[in-house]
Amino acid sequence: MAYTIVIFGASGDLTSRKLIPALYELHRKNRLPPDVRVVGFSRTPFSHEQWRERLAESTAQYESKTFDRAIWDQFAPALFYHPGDIEHLEDFHRLSAFLDQLEGQPGVTRVYYLSTAPKFYEPAIAALGVSGMADQSRGTRRVVVEKPFGTDLQSARHLNEAVHKVFPEQHVYRIDHYLGKETVQNVLVLRFANAIFEPIWNRNYVDHVQITAAEDGVVGRRAAFYDSVGVLRDMFQNHLLQLLALTAMEAPARFEADAIRDEKVKVFRAIRPLRREDVFNDTIRGQYRKYRDEPGVPPDSETATFAVVKLHVDNWRWQGVPFLLRSGKAMPCRTTQIVIQFRAVPHMLFEGGPKMASQSNRLVIQVQPAEGIQLHFYTKVPDGGMRLRQTDLSFSFRDKFSGEMPEAYQRLLLDALHGDASLFARSDEVELCWSIIDPIQETWANPGWPPLALYEAGTWGPPDSVGWMCRQNREWFDYCPVI
Ligand code: BG6
């Protein structure tokens, strides 16, 4: 079977930082099917050789640990470049002729990867249709669409309609790179390959779930773009809601794309929509203090760089168990973690035992960067009377497995080639996620509802985020993992 990956936006950052290094790694590990070629398309004029050289340099930089010039030289002949403008239909016709000539035979599976600015998704897809490049009778034609998929429910619906005019849903791969992370896939393995968690994974034993994606970096050179997006659209609509779905979903009957996505969709449908007063009470929005000094950010910007959102999943398993989602830039460290906070024992015999549910057992799934899982529980302090101390059983991927954790894009690119959409978002998922986020975004458009709280860079968000948890008799699990 032969494959062609066509990258639109080939001179961009994502191509050199993520896509080509991932393809190089797949080649190095012998994971790529033998007959794969990659064609870059963008406006900058390069010859094949110039593009290869440019990518050799960037791959050596971004994949420095494993880059080997001799292996690159075996891989590079599979890279081709075709200059063109995504807004010019004639350039698609030229690209089509170039691909036909390069492939030399019909029936080659093509993956069109849209790594362009989002405003070009729709015209590019339409042009793929008009130029005949999406004609499935000439070989399988898939399209991979990067995030963001729309900016709200209405635009996502519109984009889905535009996509479906050209590609049937089964050939559409919407990227959420969090789903390609090993530890995110491991949530399914933890839950559904082990019998011991299922009986306690519900409202009878779980007090609440915390999902945190903290980043120590500031928005920096992305500031002008970020200011039009903010943390809800950037992190919640996609990554955090996907983590929530994997944590809350029922076991699918089979491990296949639609069965998994059907279960996630049920979770999204069960999330209680936030009313205006809920948004006031159950969300926190923050901005780090120096944000307005970032280049391209207006001095009166109200864009949130930090948020907390409390959601309820209205079904039998999760009734009454809040899911507390939190993400921010300029936090003390980079850490993404899912904390399953169990209830306190019904009657504590020992003095000095946990006073609040949030001090009792918890299961911490470290998504990154200290990939692993910890179970926290109490033990007796030896030779200390009946003093108790919380301790943990700890599993770390690095200790148990050799080799580097692969970048998410390796798995996602390989799955797109092989036609496995399990780790990609379906049209209904994306729309449901927007329908959860939109009411928050719309309410936040009213100043003071809730007020934008400033926080110092290097802290866990606005100080009231702690007070807000305290008022619920709960506590954040603020922990910077030691790697
Ligand atoms: C992206 C967001 O989707 O995810 C960025 O646009 C964010 O703002 C990034 O920094 C985080 O990804 P990761 O893999 O570094 O956790």
Side-chain angles (χ1 to χ4, degrees):
M1 178 81 95
Y3 301 87
T4 306
I5 303 173
V6 184
I7 304 178
F8 294 92
S11 54
D13 209 35
L14 185 75
T15 306
S16 50
R17 259 183 344 112
K18 299 285 183 188
L19 303 183
I20 298 296
L23 289 166
Y24 163 79
E25 269 301 279
L26 289 170
H27 167 84
R28 190 184 67 81
K29 293 190 269 186
N30 256 329
R31 302 272 166 77
L32 276 186
D35 198 358
V36 175
R37 57 190 82 68
V38 180
V39 176
F41 177 92
S42 58
R43 275 189 315 192
T44 322
F46 293 122
S47 65
H48 303 312
E49 230 5 272
Q50 282 168 330
W51 196 50
R52 288 172 191 157
E53 244 345 280
R54 192 182 139 103
L55 293 176
E57 279 168 33
S58 51
T59 308
Q61 180 188 349
Y62 296 119
E63 209 52 71
S64 57
K65 282 198 193 140
T66 60
F67 187 80
D68 177 327
R69 186 68 209 207
I71 300 177
W72 174 267
D73 288 341
Q74 293 162 1
F75 170 63
L79 301 175
F80 300 88
Y81 188 80
H82 185 85
D85 189 328
I86 208 158
E87 293 184 286
H88 292 166
L89 183 58
E90 321 84 75
D91 288 356
F92 277 75
H93 287 296
R94 275 190 216 112
L95 173 65
S96 176
F98 173 74
L99 292 174
D100 288 343
Q101 186 200 8
L102 189 67
E103 290 167 351
Q105 51 172 357
V108 173
T109 297
R110 283 191 198 159
V111 174
Y112 300 119
Y113 199 116
L114 299 184
S115 161
T116 63
K119 67 174 178 188
F120 295 125
Y121 295 165
E122 201 182 325
I125 286 166
L128 285 170
V130 174
S131 61
M133 291 170 74
D135 181 354
Q136 304 286 344
S137 68
R138 304 181 59 204
T140 304
R141 305 296 189 234
R142 305 192 177 112
V143 65
V144 179
V145 188
E146 262 296 331
K147 77 170 266 263
F149 196 91
T151 52
D152 56 16
L153 176 59
Q154 196 189 1
S155 56
R157 266 195 193 138
H158 179 82
L159 186 54
N160 271 330
E161 278 164 21
V163 171
H164 289 154
K165 278 188 196 144
V166 179
F167 292 93
E169 178 61 30
Q170 80 199 87
H171 293 311
V172 186
Y173 291 70
R174 293 173 195 78
I175 291 264
D176 184 320
H177 77 281
Y178 267 54
L179 293 176
K181 293 183 190 278
E182 292 287 328
T183 41
V184 173
Q185 295 159 50
N186 193 50
V187 173
L188 294 178
V189 176
L190 176 81
R191 293 193 53 204
F192 303 134
N194 297 294
I196 58 169
F197 298 110
E198 166 55 22
I200 55 171
W201 207 266
N202 56 48
R203 63 190 301 273
N204 299 324
Y205 291 91
V206 178
D207 177 78
H208 70 273
V209 177
Q210 293 180 21
I211 302 179
T212 296
E215 293 179 272
D216 49 359
V218 293
V219 292
R221 66 193 171 84
R222 288 174 75 221
F225 159 76
Y226 187 90
D227 198 62
S228 65
V229 178
V231 68
L232 282 184
R233 293 192 179 107
D234 193 45
M235 295 295 289
F236 281 68
Q237 184 272 341
N238 35 63
H239 311 323
L240 291 196
L241 284 176
Q242 288 291 341
L243 294 180
L244 183 157
L246 295 175
T247 308
M249 69 192 248
E250 299 300 315
R254 286 173 308 285
F255 193 70
E256 48 187 54
D258 272 331
I260 297 170
R261 297 187 298 180
D262 285 347
E263 293 304 333
K264 284 198 283 167
V265 159
K266 283 187 209 161
V267 174
F268 294 133
R269 278 194 210 292
I271 290 179
R272 192 184 305 162
L274 292 188
R275 296 161 308 172
R276 207 176 137 79
E277 58 269 36
D278 301 327
V279 174
F280 188 82
N281 294 322
D282 292 347
T283 70
I284 298 175
R285 59 169 165 166
Q287 188 186 74
Y288 64 84
R289 244 177 226 290
K290 296 270 166 61
Y291 174 73
R292 292 175 189 177
D293 299 341
E294 301 276 14
V297 173
D300 55 352
S301 168
E302 290 270 305
T303 298
T305 60
F306 169 94
V308 172
V309 173
K310 176 156 119 180
L311 292 173
H312 291 274
V313 181
D314 282 336
N315 60 19
W316 279 46
R317 187 186 285 274
W318 295 116
Q319 191 53 242
V321 179
F323 283 73
L324 306 167
L325 275 44
R326 176 174 65 153
S327 180
K329 303 276 186 199
M331 311 278 289
C333 57
R334 175 171 179 255
T335 178
T336 302
Q337 47 190 251
I338 303 172
V339 178
I340 313 293
Q341 179 63 65
F342 292 99
R343 288 181 188 281
V345 293
H347 171 57
M348 178 47 73
L349 296 181
F350 310 105
E351 281 204 18
K355 302 275 180 301
M356 301 196 284
S358 52
Q359 291 165 351
S360 48
N361 301 132
R362 69 172 85 86
L363 185 73
V364 182
I365 301 171
Q366 301 278 0
V367 173
Q368 64 183 18
E371 296 89 351
I373 298 173
Q374 288 99 41
L375 178 65
H376 295 194
F377 58 97
Y378 278 88
T379 42
K380 178 181 175 310
V381 178
D383 205 13
M386 286 311 281
R387 262 198 308 130
L388 310 188
R389 188 190 301 159
Q390 200 170 49
T391 177
D392 65 298
L393 282 173
S394 182
F395 153 73
S396 143
F397 276 89
R398 273 163 233 259
D399 293 348
K400 293 287 172 203
F401 299 100
S402 58
E404 286 291 311
M405 287 295 249
E407 265 281 329
Y409 279 94
Q410 293 179 33
R411 174 68 194 260
L412 296 174
L413 281 163
L414 209 52
D415 283 2
L417 280 180
H418 292 317
D420 181 351
S422 313
L423 300 177
F424 295 83
R426 206 168 57 187
S427 56
D428 48 353
E429 264 181 271
V430 173
E431 290 182 15
L432 282 162
C433 289
W434 279 119
S435 71
I436 296 163
I437 295 304
D438 275 4
I440 309 175
Q441 199 68 54
E442 281 157 20
T443 312
W444 279 13
N446 304 299
W449 199 274
L452 180 74
L454 297 183
Y455 61 97
E456 299 299 334
T459 65
W460 290 96
D464 190 47
S465 156
V466 175
W468 180 85
M469 277 296 257
C470 256
R471 293 194 284 282
Q472 303 172 47
N473 212 17
R474 297 190 169 109
E475 220 174 342
W476 289 114
F477 182 65
D478 287 341
Y479 174 73
C480 285
V482 181
I483 308 172

